Amino acid sequence: MTNSMWGGRFASGPAAIMAEINASIGFDKRLYAEDIRGSKAHAAMLAQQKIITEADAKEIARGLDLVLAEIEAGKFDFKVALEDIHMNVESRLKDLIGEPAGRLHTARSRNDQIATDMRLYMRELCDQTDAAIADLMLALAAQASEHAATVMPGFTHLQVAQPITFGHHCLAYVEMLSRDRGRFADARKRLNESPLGAAALAGTPYPIDRFATAKALGFARPMGNSLDAVSSRDYVMEILAAAAICAVNLSRLAEEIVIWSSAQFRFVSLSDKFTTGSSIMPQKRNPDAAELIRAKPGRILGAFTALAVVMKGLPLAYSKDMQEDKEPAFDALDAFALAIAAMAGMVSDMKPNPGPMREAAATGFSTATDLADWLVKNLHMPFREAHHVTGRAVALAEEKKLRLDQMPLADLQSVEPWITQDVFNAITVEASVAARTSHGGTAPSLVKEAAAQWLKQLKGI
């Protein structure tokens, strides 16, 4: 049996395997709301331009509302034989209103229809993602405000480097995530053009008003070239790229939470809400949410790569290959949305442990740079010489198994005779973080101020 929506050219139906590989309804049915919205705008424009009658346009709008209600009530029968969301909706519309349904597809093609649906869907996803990232930033900023003066070690090469505050560390991710929001905002701006009316590839001879449908659907303008309108999927790749970059940022934080919550670090504690147990080891509390978030970039980067490979050799305009844009994108972006939400919950849930963090911050001679800075500021040494003097002091402290701030003054003076008792006011971890007052530094006063600014911005105060 041929498909009644396009079967005039064909004498018989497709092979069963052809029908299976050709159908997309299994995954593009999630575009039903966008498809119906685009169809309503198109029908209204056709009536406005006197291409169809007002009566037919009203009947089409009424029928589309009935179809939408059926789908949302879970009563719609999606049929694989009708291939995709467009033909499923149109077929049911014909069942409901009869002949006027056949006029809906005037001056459009499934090519511009799916391009419109996808842009509407991706635009909404950008808005949802922006809100979700903002929620995560808010959770991090709240932790930063509460722990602006909570000392922890800062690392390079995962070795203790210099003392910082937990609030400062949280705000680093707030800054990173703000750039992620910017990437989604940029992608949204670029995708916000309407393909509707480009038809199959060349435009249409009907006197349509593409500006009217663009406005009705909230687009900034119609796309300027009909070939580009139906054949571009760069906006999907751009959103996947933005998601992949953000997921990498989330993964870095997830890895730190895994490390921080370990028995070896004990920097943070996670509640039962975001941990799981072991089937054999009753003592275990595993940070599974963080570990799963850590894994998500592979899935999202894979989706980007898959779509890039699909698109890389396609001539203009539409090819059926482009049907492969949806499954990986939908899967990846679903996983991404879940990861953001889980991370926001986990950040709000985690409890920093100031004792172990402060203890770790004092290890590894973390205030050695502060000693060098004291030599520069108080003895007017060139920094490179102060670096060498401090290196000798560290070697002596290591030999004596003491921290720098535990060293007797006489031992420090054996390295540099002009060191005075005042040096001990500069080489504690609290003094170290308090001294970092340059813009963007870890000084608690700066962290508190930055956290307050972010909280104000994120709450829209």
Side-chain angles (χ1 to χ4, degrees), residues 286-422:
N286 299 321
D288 282 5
E291 291 171 4
L292 288 165
I293 292 168
R294 186 174 61 185
K296 296 301 182 189
R299 193 166 175 177
I300 298 165
L301 283 163
F304 172 82
T305 301
L307 181 53
V309 171
V310 166
M311 297 300 298
K312 71 173 181 60
L314 293 186
L316 301 182
Y318 184 82
S319 297
K320 197 71 171 183
D321 312 51
M322 292 163 67
Q323 185 167 290
E324 293 294 316
D325 65 339
K326 295 169 194 64
E327 283 187 283
F330 292 161
D331 175 77
L333 296 171
D334 286 348
F336 176 60
L338 182 60
I340 298 173
M343 181 60 82
M346 193 163 42
V347 167
S348 296
D349 177 74
M350 69 182 181
K351 304 296 182 188
N353 299 321
M357 285 198 288
R358 199 297 181 183
E359 182 181 350
T363 64
F365 308 104
S366 64
T367 59
T369 307
D370 298 279
L371 174 56
D373 290 337
W374 186 92
L375 294 171
V376 170
K377 289 189 287 186
N378 291 272
L379 303 185
H380 308 294
M381 277 187 190
F383 181 80
R384 191 51 60 200
E385 182 182 345
H387 188 285
H388 288 300
V389 170
T390 300
R392 294 198 300 273
V394 167
L396 182 59
E398 189 172 34
E399 180 184 324
K400 291 179 173 288
K401 296 181 170 43
L402 297 172
R403 299 195 311 263
L404 284 174
D405 62 338
Q406 294 174 327
M407 288 279 283
L409 177 60
D411 284 346
L412 291 177
Q413 288 176 335
S414 71
V415 176
E416 170 48 58
W418 293 101
I419 292 178
T420 68
Q421 185 70 33
D422 181 62

Side-chain angles (χ1 to χ4, degrees), residues 131-140 143 177 250 253 257 274 293 337-350:
I133 295 175
D135 286 344
L136 173 54
M137 292 170 66
L138 191 61
L140 286 161
Q143 288 278 17
L177 290 164
L250 296 180
L253 177 54
I257 291 173
F274 290 93
I293 292 168
L338 182 60
I340 298 173
M343 181 60 82
M346 193 163 42
V347 167
S348 296
D349 177 74
M350 69 182 181

Side-chain angles (χ1 to χ4, degrees), residues 241-290:
I245 293 169
C246 186
V248 167
N249 290 337
L250 296 180
S251 183
R252 297 180 73 180
L253 177 54
E255 167 67 359
E256 292 193 312
I257 291 173
V258 170
I259 293 170
W260 292 345
S261 62
S262 68
Q264 292 79 8
F265 275 71
R266 297 180 294 116
F267 285 5
V268 301
S269 299
L270 295 171
S271 78
D272 294 351
K273 294 178 181 178
F274 290 93
T275 54
T276 64
S278 165
S279 63
I280 188 172
M281 296 171 285
Q283 83 281 9
K284 293 297 295 295
R285 183 188 292 275
N286 299 321
D288 282 5

Side-chain angles (χ1 to χ4, degrees), residues 48-65:
Q48 172 192 304
Q49 296 300 105
K50 303 189 185 308
I51 298 169
I52 66 174
T53 66
E54 288 285 352
D56 281 347
K58 288 180 181 178
E59 190 65 1
I60 288 169
R62 184 185 71 82
L64 287 170
D65 284 339

Side-chain angles (χ1 to χ4, degrees), residues 22 76 89 135 172-173 214 240 286 342 415 423 461:
N22 195 48
F76 190 92
V89 168
D135 286 344
Y173 284 103
L240 285 171
N286 299 321
V415 176
V423 74
I461 299 174

